[in-house]
Amino acid sequence: MLGTVAAWPAAPNGALPNGGGPDDLAPNGLRVRGLLARLALDPGRPVTADTLVDALWGDEPPDGAGNALQSLVSRLRRALGPDLVTTVGGGYLLRVPPDDVDALRFTRLTGFSATADPQAARGLLTEALGLWRGPALADVRRLPFADAAAERLAEQRAVAVERLAAVSLDIGSPGDGLDALTSLLAEQPLRESAAAVLARSLHAVGRQADALAVLDRTGARLVEELGVDPGPELRRTRIDVLRTQPSLPTAKPARPAAGGALTSFVGRREDVPRVRELLGSARLVTLIGPGGAGKTRLAREAFGDAVLAELAPLTGGDQLPATLLGAVGGPEMVVRTQDENRDTATTTERLVATLGSRDVLLILDNCEHVIDAVATLAETLLAACPRLRVLATSREPLAVPGEVLHPVSALAVADAVRLFTDRAVAVAPGFTPDADAVAAIAEICRRLDGQPLPIELAAARLRTLTPREILTRLDDRFRLLTTGARTALPRHQTLRAVVDWSWDLLGESERIVTRRLAVFAGGATAEAAERVCSGAGGPASEEVFEILASLVDKSLVVAAPQPDGAPTRYRMLETIREYAGERLGASGERDALVAAHAAWVLDLVEAAEPELRGADQLPWLARLRAEAGNVTGALRRAVAEGDAPVAYRLVAGASWSWVISGLVLEATHWAREVAALPADGVPPGARALTLAYLAISSIGEGDVAGATRLLDEATALVHVLAVGPDELHPLLRLLEPVSTAFVKQDVSLVERVAEEARDPWLRATALEIRSMILENDGQIERQRELVRAAHALYRRIGDRFGLGMTLTSLGELEEVTGNPEAAAAAYDEAITLATELGNTDDLPQFMVRRAQLAARAGDAGRARELLGAARRITRPSFEPGEMLRVSEADIERRAGNLDGARRALAGVDLARDAGLALPQRRALLAVARAQLEMDSAVPAAAAAPLAEAAAAAVESADGPVAGRVCEGTARYAWLAGEPQAAAALLGVA
């Protein structure tokens, strides 16, 4: 696949401006090729839009980067076909197998070669190197992502060239790799490893003088250019070359680590070749991860013929040299050594002598409890034994120079479910999960963090429980998961023992921070942890970060770097967090930690809330999204414990972020939960805001009476506040005007706010509300004037949410007045803004409106594409799935696909969408059915649905909806031969 990219003509012009250029406009433009190359580096996996923008434009993206990227994707689809490049949540995916991408096939082949016998390894490496057709990513190197990726691939190629020469030397064909090695050393004249293997190969074919010349030339350049002497590898090679006969290394078989595996090896499809690849270029690789992650099994699968030293039984570091000596030299070696001299240093010397220059791969399994001794001995052995390679498994790194880490992460969901099912069948023969069981198993695996050992322990419970019953008991997981194999290590027989082992290795300050971190849900930044976890008998705040780093090293905390420069987050796996929560409860610190956590969350949401109506909206939203688990966790605790003052303040502070992110249902849920609490001690402003958000929800659900009651109650609370109007929260300032306008049809208070308020956001919102009222009166020009004024104010203050609302209104107005181009531009900008906000409620609505506009213009393909994108991101909200089907029917009808339209409408049940069978929706559904009948052979069948639509429109008292019904009825009148009635109805519309 990357070969395909390279085959496209390179850009003829120089560096392009960030907004694009002539080369970008061609189907084979630079950034189109770059987009293909970047997607091909992750085939079959989604790549986020942010990642692609960074890859293609770097630190200087163009204005409207999302639209620019979408345009590139469209051109790439035209070149490759729409099925190969698909849109996924938040990004794009290239649907090709990894083996179709040269770069990934090369990596896989070189990884397999690391453990193959020399003959097989030569074939694999030859095939891998044959995939190269010039420098990697040569024709897209000007793009920001390409240099790092190309350099990584070039380094892998260099290592493969060296290894091919080395294995050719081993099997007696030293001349096979000479040309490639010579070229590599010419490109990288300071590469000592290439010089050494080239010299050995030249010596082996009888060219001793040439071999010495290579070594001398490389050594001289190291001194001249870097000021360093040749390393030990070059010095040893020189000694060997000076011998009369070549000294070719020979491969010796190592004792296998274990016999055939007794259970299936699930998942880790990428880990095995990756670990093999790492040990092909590094001499010390450590598999790190929490207990039960499957580090030992991965090591044995990757290198089944390696020498295994099991360190779990050791009680002290002094036992380590003898244990390793027994592994590499046999038990008799240990006995003889112990009889002769029990001194550890002597045993280490014997171990070094035994390894010598042997080609040995040594697995050091379960190092964490003797980590210092392992680190010291590993460094000693690697320095003294040039052909030794070490693969360690540990819950923390060895921290030895030259160590390369491979984190053993959670299993993918599909692999985790397969592991559970495999182990379940072993204990419950004939177990065949139905759909409900599969869903329960997937949730079990998620709750167990995708970790193999806990999943296997859970599967063992299939003897007595169903998957659904296991899931319901996971809140008490340490009592549930106690059925490990009798022959397993004691710390792997129960889930509690797994975590106890890690806990016992911690120091006291590490234990304090670990248990206090349990109060966070979804992790924490270092700043938050320093504030909440410090003091009160624990470490000082400045010490917390170093303790966090130590806990990351010990696989009890995961450090997750964040995009866009956001602070790193530190989180615990759910099992570790539950264990730490138990420890927190037993410590007597829980109440104080819950209060400290709630205070921190309150400070965050109350600082963010006013910033969400201005230019800093996006960064503050990003912070709140990152802390969503902590916000809802604090709310959940406050509601459960009846802490009304904290609960009301949290809802008041967080609800606007939910509204503008499209999480209206979440805002409604928490407002209802909190409003049910006694209001004693609650600040009146916080209670008024909570009731205001409930009123917004009631309006959306069509409950006018409920909304009126809530607005009146909230307004009464506002009157209690002894502050001037300009000091009120903007939403509270709007309560009485909104109530008066919608209930009493008196817009004077709204107009006064629009004219007099100092806050431009408040004026803009009042203008938008006034325009909504005018919508029912059909005053289009005045409505457009107000919306444009609101739009200008929102743009001035940088409120993307307000802009999106006004743009949608403008789009509808432009449609009504016959300006589809302006309507399309407004909808497209609204889509971009909603995407930036991550508003998954409003975004589908905007996409549907844009799709309907495209359908009316005759562009069915674009309409279907937009509708499909809307469907993929839709969730129950004010414009959800059932109405999408109504829109789909309209699009298919306009495209002439009447059967498709009927299928879309068949079985539409508006009540399925959170019970929102509003009269507006009933009217639009009935009109859609009538329009379909009018396009069919029996237009008279449209009469009944039109009558139903008219009744629903009258009930709704919604002007635009009534207009749609009149428009549909006018068409019916025209088809019935009554043009005057049709004209009258269009006038009403």
Side-chain angles (χ1 to χ4, degrees), residues 670-933:
W670 284 116
R672 283 177 177 157
E673 290 281 309
V674 171
L677 296 174
D680 297 340
V682 174
R687 179 163 169 78
L689 273 173
T690 300
L691 296 176
Y693 287 118
L694 278 178
I696 292 172
S697 174
S698 296
I699 291 171
E701 294 171 359
D703 182 6
V704 177
T708 303
R709 176 182 55 77
L710 289 163
L711 287 170
D712 289 345
E713 187 177 350
T715 301
L717 287 166
V718 170
H719 290 159
V720 174
L721 298 172
V723 296
D726 288 325
E727 296 172 313
L728 274 176
H729 188 287
L731 289 180
L732 297 184
R733 177 82 184 274
L734 286 168
L735 285 177
E736 190 169 3
V738 168
S739 179
T740 303
F742 282 102
V743 177
K744 300 179 182 178
Q745 306 301 307
D746 179 358
V747 299
S748 60
L749 292 181
V750 172
E751 289 178 338
R752 184 183 305 170
V753 172
E755 294 170 0
E756 299 176 0
R758 293 181 187 174
D759 181 355
W761 185 91
L762 190 53
R763 293 203 310 276
T765 305
L767 288 166
E768 178 75 359
I769 292 169
R770 182 71 182 96
S771 76
M772 291 167 60
I773 296 168
L774 287 173
E775 185 178 49
N776 265 6
D777 298 336
Q779 299 182 37
I780 293 176
E781 287 306 318
R782 177 60 176 154
Q783 184 185 359
R784 179 155 47 185
E785 179 184 330
L786 292 171
V787 174
R788 284 177 173 169
H791 177 268
L793 285 169
Y794 283 132
R795 187 173 292 284
R796 192 179 93 193
I797 61 178
D799 179 4
R800 289 165 173 80
F801 179 71
L803 273 175
M805 295 298 104
T806 56
L807 282 164
T808 307
S809 298
L810 285 173
E812 293 171 345
L813 290 167
E814 297 295 354
E815 276 196 79
V816 170
T817 54
N819 192 350
E821 294 82 7
Y827 290 146
D828 286 342
E829 187 177 352
I831 288 170
T832 298
L833 291 168
T835 302
E836 290 177 349
L837 289 170
N839 188 324
T840 53
D841 269 8
D842 292 332
L843 182 55
Q845 298 184 59
F846 301 161
M847 287 178 167
V848 167
R849 288 191 174 97
R850 183 66 180 86
Q852 291 169 333
L853 185 64
R856 283 193 283 275
D859 190 349
R862 177 66 173 147
R864 287 167 179 148
E865 180 183 353
L866 284 161
L867 194 70
R871 181 177 287 109
R872 285 191 291 273
I873 60 176
T874 289
R875 63 183 207 132
S877 64
F878 294 134
E879 189 77 35
E882 297 300 300
M883 290 305 293
L884 281 178
R885 294 171 66 187
V886 176
S887 299
E888 179 186 0
D890 185 62
I891 290 168
E892 294 303 328
R893 179 184 67 81
R894 290 177 184 275
N897 181 12
L898 300 188
D899 289 341
R902 289 190 188 282
R903 285 194 297 272
L905 289 178
V908 170
D909 181 359
L910 298 178
R912 274 201 291 261
D913 286 341
L916 298 178
L918 304 178
Q920 290 93 329
R921 292 175 170 225
R922 299 201 309 272
L924 295 176
L925 172 59
V927 167
R929 287 177 171 150
Q931 293 281 20
L932 181 57
E933 297 300 342

Side-chain angles (χ1 to χ4, degrees), residues 589-641:
E589 297 178 334
R590 182 188 178 279
D591 291 346
L593 262 291
V594 166
H597 178 264
W600 167 74
V601 173
L602 276 171
D603 284 351
L604 173 66
V605 298
E606 290 177 345
E609 206 274 348
E611 304 295 337
L612 297 176
R613 290 182 289 277
D616 290 333
Q617 197 173 54
L618 291 184
W620 278 101
L621 266 182
R623 283 189 65 181
L624 291 173
R625 284 200 186 98
E627 303 298 352
N630 284 307
V631 174
T632 54
L635 251 175
R636 191 174 292 111
R637 280 194 289 262
V639 170
E641 297 171 13

